[in-house]
Amino acid sequence: GGGSDDAAGGGTEKLTIYTARDKKVATFVVDKFTAKYPEYKGKVEVLNLGAQEILERVRAEKANPQADVWWGGTQQGLAAGAAEDLLTSWQPAFAGKMDAKYKDPEGRWFGEILLPEVIMYNNKALTPEKAPKDWDDLLKPEWKNKIIIRDVAASGTMRSIYASMIQRQSPDGSNPQPGYDWLKKLDANTGAYAANPTDLYLKLSRQQGVLSAWNLQDILLQAEQANMPFGYVMPSSGAPVLVDGLAAVKGGNSTGAQKFIEFLFEDSLRADLAKDYFQIPAVDIAEKPEWLAQLDLKPLDVDWDVIGKHETEWINHWNSQIKNKG
Amino acid sequence: MSTIPATPGAATVPPVTEDPTPPRARAPRWLAGGANSPWFPYVLVFPLALVLFGYVVQPMFATFAESVGVDGLANYSVFLTGDGVARSALVTSLVISAASVLLCGIVGVAMAFLLKRFSFPGRRLIEAIILVPAALPPLIGAISFQLLYSETGILPRGLQHLFGTEQPVLPFTGIAGVLVVHTFTMYPFFYLAASAALVGMDPSVEEAAYNLGAGRVRVWRTVLLPMLTPALVSASLLVFMTSLASYTAPLLFGVDQTMTMQIYINRTNGDLPMASTYASVLGVVSVLFLLGMRWYEGRRSYRSQSKGVASHRREITNPFGRWLALLASVLATGVLLAPVGTIALVAFSRDGSWTTEVIPSAYTMGNFVTIFTDEGAYRPIVNSLKMSLIATVACVVVGVLIAYAVRRLDFRGRALLDVAVMLAWALPGTVVAINLISAFSTGNAFSFGQVLIGTFWIMPLAYFVRFLPLVFRSSSATLAQLDPSLEEAARNLGASWWRAFGTVTLRLMLPGVLAGALLAFVHGVGEFVASVLIYTSETAPISVEINNRMYSFEVGTAAAYGMLQVVLIFVVMVVSGRLESGPKASREAARWTA
Amino acid sequence: MIDVTLESVSKRFARGGDSAAVDDVDISIAAGEFFTLLGPSGCGKTTTLRMVAGFYFPTSGRIRFGQEDVTHRPPNKRDTGMVFQNYALFPHLTVAQNVAYGLKIRKVGRAESRRRVEEALGQVHLAGYGERRIDQLSGGQQQRVALARALVIRPRTLLLDEPLSNLDAKLREETRVEIRRIQREAGTTSIYVTHDQAEAMAMSDRIAVMESGRVQQIGAPQEIYHRPANAFVARFIGRSNVLSLPVAAAGPQTVTVALPGGDQVTVAAPAEHGLREGATALVSVRPEHIGLASTTDADALPGRVTEVEFTGMATNLVVDVAGEPVQVTAIDVPAGLAAGDQVGLRLPRERMWVVRP
Amino acid sequence: MIDVTLESVSKRFARGGDSAAVDDVDISIAAGEFFTLLGPSGCGKTTTLRMVAGFYFPTSGRIRFGQEDVTHRPPNKRDTGMVFQNYALFPHLTVAQNVAYGLKIRKVGRAESRRRVEEALGQVHLAGYGERRIDQLSGGQQQRVALARALVIRPRTLLLDEPLSNLDAKLREETRVEIRRIQREAGTTSIYVTHDQAEAMAMSDRIAVMESGRVQQIGAPQEIYHRPANAFVARFIGRSNVLSLPVAAAGPQTVTVALPGGDQVTVAAPAEHGLREGATALVSVRPEHIGLASTTDADALPGRVTEVEFTGMATNLVVDVAGEPVQVTAIDVPAGLAAGDQVGLRLPRERMWVVRP
Ligand SMILES: Nc1ncnc2c1ncn2[C@@H]1O[C@H](COP(=O)(O)OP(=O)(O)OP(=O)(O)O)[C@@H](O)[C@H]1O
Ligand SMILES: Nc1ncnc2c1ncn2[C@@H]1O[C@H](COP(=O)(O)OP(=O)(O)OP(=O)(O)O)[C@@H](O)[C@H]1O
Ligand SMILES: [Fe+3]
Ligand SMILES: [Mg+2]
Ligand SMILES: [Mg+2]
């Protein structure tokens, strides 16, 4: 049996969280949570998984859900979960403050943090001045084989960036060709595709390439906490902003799950996470850390509905016709 | 399984079959009647078949059903038409697998020959480290190869510095890189199988070939290798299927048009039927390969037909050969240990201190301090050990029996049983795990009515299903060499089938069984893809821990964990090396080099 | 009392060609009897033995021990002790452990077991070899371990498949006396396979001669030797001349045949020989029963020596008599007898016997 | 011309106990000679053969082929064809492929190879078995394949380790004639190990009798048979009575001994027998040379029959003569002779011979 039927003494049920967040973040948050709600002390079980694995697991466990909270997932992933009827629909207190584009209209999932996708560079190899200023600069011949890209098809983040690049040039998604051409040129400049984030960081830090496209939070985390030689450029035409969200799993311990999710959106916690873990909250918070206050976030105008409709087709096309062919 | 079955699983009750004999002989006969009663095979095999059917075959069919669920066989047509991705993925996967088999075969058999046929200083040590590459934690392992051989790797960069060239020298990329990783991590399949077989082989046959004028190479080609066929077939199957289902290596070396990558991509796309289609094709290819190999092996007999017992008696006085063997082994060891050394470098280097340098510039013990000060540090290690051990024991018990049944007993459906066991190995771990989740989310007959999801037992069960083929195959290979008249002699002297099996057959199969058990254990400790889908916070294995560290780019501590795993497996190797042969293997080799 | 019965037992191998390895064999062996299977290589001796031991199931027919049908009884329930033609020694056990294996299964106590193992090793002249590994023994020594292993358990039935084939004459003789002694003392029913006819003759109570899976004759050694049922048995057991001679007259139990020289002799024949005057009778006569005589002897058939072979105890000759080669074994041969010499042969009519084709 | 020479060759096994398996053996074999090693089980025959084949290196001593020292030459460079005592057939090859193996290595063309394989299989009576798998053959059939495999390559030296031990008498005889024929035709030097003395006598040019790793006597069959060097050889080759008799007088090449009854006989003795009057001489006499006589015969030694054994061709008796058991083999035994009967024995003085202890 899972969390739901293991009702323990004291009336508090076990709370199982599947999270794609960094282990440190998860530990930090859960500690605060149990500090505030002592009845959950020793009752919270956190499993660290990849975003894709959470989807797989929740999907496979549908008949007898084990998880209560799905914490950390792309908009697409969560939407897929919602579509497969895996998620609870509810309206938390913070939902009202949240921009509609960051949440599911039926309340099955909510955005937690915003992930602007920016240009990343190795700051030992390049000065900020020499680094490209906008997306189109990446296509310049001087960057030939200097770009490392986290392999696209298997990464939610990258799929969103690439789809945005296509949608940018065809707002209604009817003509992906200009986007394809653009990506083909990018492919020509791409020296290698990295297998996973770690691989990307390694390749970039070891200067197999010097440029990439990546999310702001991780760039800052790596630079500050892991001593990596990374810097970022906010593209002048704007950065696609992804939403990373969370949800309560249907059939799980919904009391605990909802309590936890509400807790996550508390102002002070958000501020701490923003300060220490470079998170950009999806709802506005009162006191912003310095970096966030200074951040000149310029969102690229992306229509996620259009992307949602075409992403599979576009990425499959890219994967089979463009990748390594430019 | 902990509790009383809610539904009486057929496997738990002795099968009630109509008994054709008079009641007098009835009671113990189904057990003691032994291998001679015409329906003994079914008694032995029935529970096994049930387990396999429940855990492997039926989920496999479910996968197949999903692939044809919506639009029939349309999904399969992409392998014939489509934009070619499917077809080229299939071709790439096949090419990589075939090449891996070849390379692993060469390396593994050569090492087996060196270590089992020559005695030289340090041989025991090399025997102990020889399995370490297989023990590399999946993610770290592949990354260590990258750190070694890729464009930014130690070797190409080192050579670049040495020769002062513009570009790194001799980097491995793409398929070549994948093959390097495969060769290094999978040659132990061949090594273990071939060494077990060499030990069990009738030496006089080799002498006969020399006597008829065959030179050393020729003897190898025409006698030794053919006589090793069961072992080689077993290893080929394992390597082929592993390569086919290999995921990390192609991923890291950017070979994305492989079957497994396509499965992953299609899952990410949310196109589950298509993913299932790929998985089914993978299964079908594996089964075809298996059937081909079975046929190939079945054409001949490999049992010693000699009278009496011959011992290795050929002696080599040529010291040259001995030193050459030593040299070759030292070289091989260096190459084998290089990835481990790389992990050690990472583990001991300060985060961020190793970028463009050939080797890290600053060192620290910090990573080890970090993992050991973490309060739950030992938990994953203990978990992995415990779960692998349980699974390995189960694999040995069941695997050996199935091997016996398939090799020695005559019953309908032998080939089917063989295929059923191997299927679990042919399928990607993710698929197996998902099948298990579906099977055990709710109680059903195959789980004895138990919901296993979220419990401890699901993990060993997954390892058991996945690694059963390892023990099964290598046991089966040694059994092929064994003269059945030894077992007959024991029976004749009054031993029941079980006793004869235990005291003679099993004892003589031991090298192969141990080899398989070792492989199962090592793989169990490193298992990630299935574990990550079914572990709970209580049962988090070491691989998940490593992955979490990798995920947060704590490469240093991940490597430190990796080192722990390697050391652990090294210890197991040394212990089992003692167990397996004691002084006997050395004696064997010594006789050859007296 | 009948102890082991084979009732029209046949065995066909899936890939053994068309013919059966053992073909409709009927044998009954009395309790305590020493029964020998004799026959050319590949005639089905081992196959028969293995069916009795329970390693093969007859394709058809039944096997009984006493009254019980054991056709499908597992080997370990048959209490047979078998010496395998290929020894089938346990390579992972020492000599003593090999021999002790069956005792251990019979739960014989340690001390008793030790004593019996030592005794058995002594019986096969391997005292002191107990601690050796099997692969440190010579071929003959291995064979003796196999024998000791079967003897030591004192089984109800002993099945011995050429247990002495790799031993020297001296040892073989000693060992066969030992086997016989043990077997007699315990009253063990024994089925013995050998290719050594002298051995078969000397040891057996009865012998079955097989050919191509079929039993040709069953009888006491003397009977088989002196009254072979057919030409095959006559030729196979010992050496024998089977002469084709025209029948001059036929009685109920005798036949009168014409010798090459023209003389007629009356020789014994089986009751239903079915020969008539003018037919050709096959008459068997043993080489050692033919006497050498000088060419001048009127009673003797004249012939020319074509081959001379010295075998130690005796000399074998082949003598051409009117175109038919006749084998003769003689102990006292005229010194210097060589191929080409003329000799006379004396045929012993009382030792001649008509056989069936 | 000397073809194979063993020069004080010894072989000790690491774990073979204290004594050497082969101990200071000196043998020279002429080209084309058929040389036989004879000796009890475990005496070192196989070990010697394996050193010649190159599978063991002598612990000391040298082996030469012609003038060349081959002590350390690898086995595949020696051009010997060996029949292994344990057959050592390739289980993964068919019968025909087994036989063809050596031909393939010698690069014999396909057609020629096929022809020769068929011929060789015919020679061992296995025509038609070419496509069988080895595990589908009987023991004797396997042995014949091993033989064919060695014969077919027509090696420079044939090494045959009990190649006929599992064949029936008939087949053995035919096969040994075949071996001899092939060997003679090609002039192949052959070393043959057998435990069958009749075989050794009939086939060999010379025989070496070994015991406990040492050579006891080397000589032509007749010589070994009639003039055994010592009591061991006398007893081992054929059956022999070695009587201990008091020396009445000693000549340079003869010794006069007193028989149990009191009669004296003068018998041949080796030149350096070193016996004096009053010493005890060992006198060997073969059972088959002793004649049976009636008890009334004055020339005959009286004795009492203690054992009677029928062996087909002859009857073996043990006769007690003044307390000493004397073995007698007779072909014509009075009907109904049984243990306890009194008989007379006639000792043939010209066939008696003094042996060394
Ligand atoms: N590998 C070994 N280690 C130790 N002793 C051995 C080894 N091989 C043989 N021996 C011993 O050496 C002696 C000679 O053995 P060998 O095989 O030459 O005998 P053999 O004359 O061929 O006997 P048989 O007629 O029984 O085959 C035997 O006493 C045997 O026990
Ligand atoms: N497994 C088998 N498959 C096919 N044929 C077989 C098999 N085993 C034996 N045979 C054949 O059956 C016949 C009888 O074999 P068996 O072993 O009983 O002979 P045998 O009388 O013991 O001969 P030998 O004296 O040579 O040992 C032989 O012709 C043999 O080739
Ligand atoms: Fe539960
Ligand atoms: Mg046989
Ligand atoms: Mg021998």
Side-chain angles (χ1 to χ4, degrees), chain C residues 142-216:
Chain C
Q142 291 188 14
Q143 190 167 43
R144 284 180 275 159
V145 176
L147 181 60
R149 187 177 65 177
L151 290 179
V152 78
I153 58 169
R154 299 184 194 147
R156 186 176 176 287
T157 317
L158 259 175
L159 306 174
L160 304 147
D161 198 349
E162 310 199 4
L164 310 176
S165 64
N166 280 82
L167 304 184
D168 55 281
K170 202 101 215 140
L171 190 56
R172 198 156 71 230
E173 213 157 301
E174 285 168 27
T175 313
R176 99 191 177 200
V177 170
E178 197 71 22
I179 292 177
R180 244 339 219 152
R181 192 184 57 73
I182 295 171
Q183 184 261 339
R184 277 219 186 87
E185 272 172 17
T188 317
T189 309
S190 306
I191 309 182
Y192 192 84
V193 171
T194 182
H195 50 72
D196 181 334
Q197 289 156 20
E199 200 165 286
M201 294 288 169
M203 295 179 83
S204 318
D205 294 324
R206 277 192 308 153
I207 294 175
V209 181
M210 294 179 72
E211 196 212 357
S212 308
R214 296 181 152 276
V215 172
Q216 302 292 327

Side-chain angles (χ1 to χ4, degrees), chain A residues 1-2 5-6, chain B residues 451 455:
Chain A
D5 57 15
D6 274 343
Chain B
V451 173
T455 71

Side-chain angles (χ1 to χ4, degrees), chain C residues 139, chain D residues 46 85 161:
Chain D
T46 298
Q85 192 172 8
D161 199 350

Side-chain angles (χ1 to χ4, degrees), chain C residues 218-302:
Chain C
I218 299 183
Q222 304 260 1
E223 187 182 334
I224 289 201
Y225 192 77
H226 290 299
R227 296 279 183 259
N230 56 28
F232 170 78
V233 176
R235 286 209 184 87
F236 184 75
I237 301 292
R239 287 141 45 97
S240 193
N241 297 294
V242 179
L243 309 171
S244 304
L245 302 174
V247 175
Q253 308 245 358
T254 56
V255 171
T256 306
V257 292
L259 293 179
D263 287 359
Q264 294 198 347
V265 280
T266 302
V267 298
E272 343 72 41
H273 55 75
L275 292 169
R276 307 245 192 89
E277 196 186 315
T280 303
L282 296 177
V283 178
S284 129
V285 56
R286 302 268 168 206
E288 70 271 20
H289 293 153
I290 300 179
L292 276 189
S294 76
T295 39
T296 54
D297 195 327
D299 283 356
L301 288 173

